[in-house]
Amino acid sequence: MSDLLDLRPRTRWLGRPHEHFAELASTNDRALAWARAGAPHGAMVSADRQTAGRGRLGRAWASPAAGDLYVSVILRPPQGPALGALALAVGAGLREGLARWTPQVALKWPNDVLLAGRKVAGVLCEARWVGDLPELVVGFGVNVGRTLFDPELAARATSLALALPSPPPRAAVLSGLLAALEPILCDFFAGGFAAVRARYEPHCVTLGARVSVEVPGGTGEREPARALGLDPDGALLVAPLDGGPARRVESGDVWLEAGDQREE
Ligand code: BTN
């Protein structure tokens, strides 16, 4: 029996009601369908394994049954602040939750959570409007128990099982993450990115680092730059190293140049 079947979240509303599946194509797909059918604010879907897990920018999210977390929550915030920085707020909440188990956890703009410099978790937000109100699905994957990664991921990814001497049980990790996420989501929905910025910025290894960013226009060309900071809406400000004007990066890929990131 899955350890997530009788999860008891220590939250007021996040993670309730909860549906758990041994296998799904994608917890985000199931949550989107459940949201359309009327699932309430806070409802959560989890799975032991995904057959078509999705990441950002149309990428696949490898999702074997190896003791990792594949989770999506449905959020129905009130009309209010811009939601563009939601993935940053969720990343900050995941970092705070994981920091209970290890201090080596950091953020890479926009939505990666790093452990000892390697990716341990990612966030995928999807939304639609129902009249004037947003209906959001926030999916997150956390590498908890996995000890083997595909060769193309192995140098960049890690898990709690690989990085910690005694990794915590998966259900305890999920309970801790929900407890950390609930207050940060409340703050974000009430005050936007400004209300959670101080919990994101100090932990973000991208800020101040040399990076390369994809040049707009879809050619795939990368431009070396310095990450200067964040705009009030969470967009990244970068200064090209060739001296061109600083510009905003709202989404897309930003690579850290090796050896030039801040340590936590
Ligand atoms: C990324 O870093 O690119 C985001 C990865 C998000 C993966 C999670 S796993 C649970 C949920 N279901 C999906 O299909 N994707 C998200």
Side-chain angles (χ1 to χ4, degrees), residues 75-114:
L75 301 172
R76 299 183 182 280
Q79 250 184 319
L83 297 170
L86 176 63
L88 277 63
V90 173
L94 295 180
R95 193 210 68 82
E96 287 180 11
L98 291 175
R100 172 174 166 204
W101 310 104
T102 165
Q104 284 183 294
V105 62
L107 296 163
K108 175 177 165 287
W109 189 92
N111 71 329
D112 290 355
V113 184
L114 306 181

Side-chain angles (χ1 to χ4, degrees), residues 35-192:
R36 275 171 198 263
H41 182 59
M44 177 169 78
V45 179
S46 59
D48 291 324
R49 149 173 209 263
Q50 298 182 120
T51 54
R54 296 200 298 279
R56 281 177 70 239
L57 308 172
R59 295 187 183 123
W61 183 260
S63 310
D68 291 340
L69 286 170
Y70 313 115
V71 177
S72 301
V73 294
I74 294 158
L75 301 172
R76 299 183 182 280
Q79 250 184 319
L83 297 170
L86 176 63
L88 277 63
V90 173
L94 295 180
R95 193 210 68 82
E96 287 180 11
L98 291 175
R100 172 174 166 204
W101 310 104
T102 165
Q104 284 183 294
V105 62
L107 296 163
K108 175 177 165 287
W109 189 92
N111 71 329
D112 290 355
V113 184
L114 306 181
L115 174 52
R118 295 177 180 213
K119 183 158 175 170
V120 70
V123 181
L124 177 68
C125 299
E126 298 182 293
R128 74 175 187 127
W129 289 90
V130 183
D132 289 345
L133 292 174
E135 185 176 84
L136 308 172
V137 167
V138 172
F140 52 91
V142 185
N143 303 330
V144 178
R146 195 183 326 184
T147 51
L148 281 176
F149 288 92
D150 290 344
E152 71 275 13
L153 286 179
R156 291 179 286 122
T158 192
S159 67
L160 298 185
L162 284 174
L164 302 185
S166 56
R170 178 174 73 155
V173 175
L174 180 53
S175 291
L177 293 177
L178 294 173
L181 278 169
E182 189 177 79
I184 206 164
L185 286 171
C186 288
D187 289 349
F188 178 75
F189 291 141

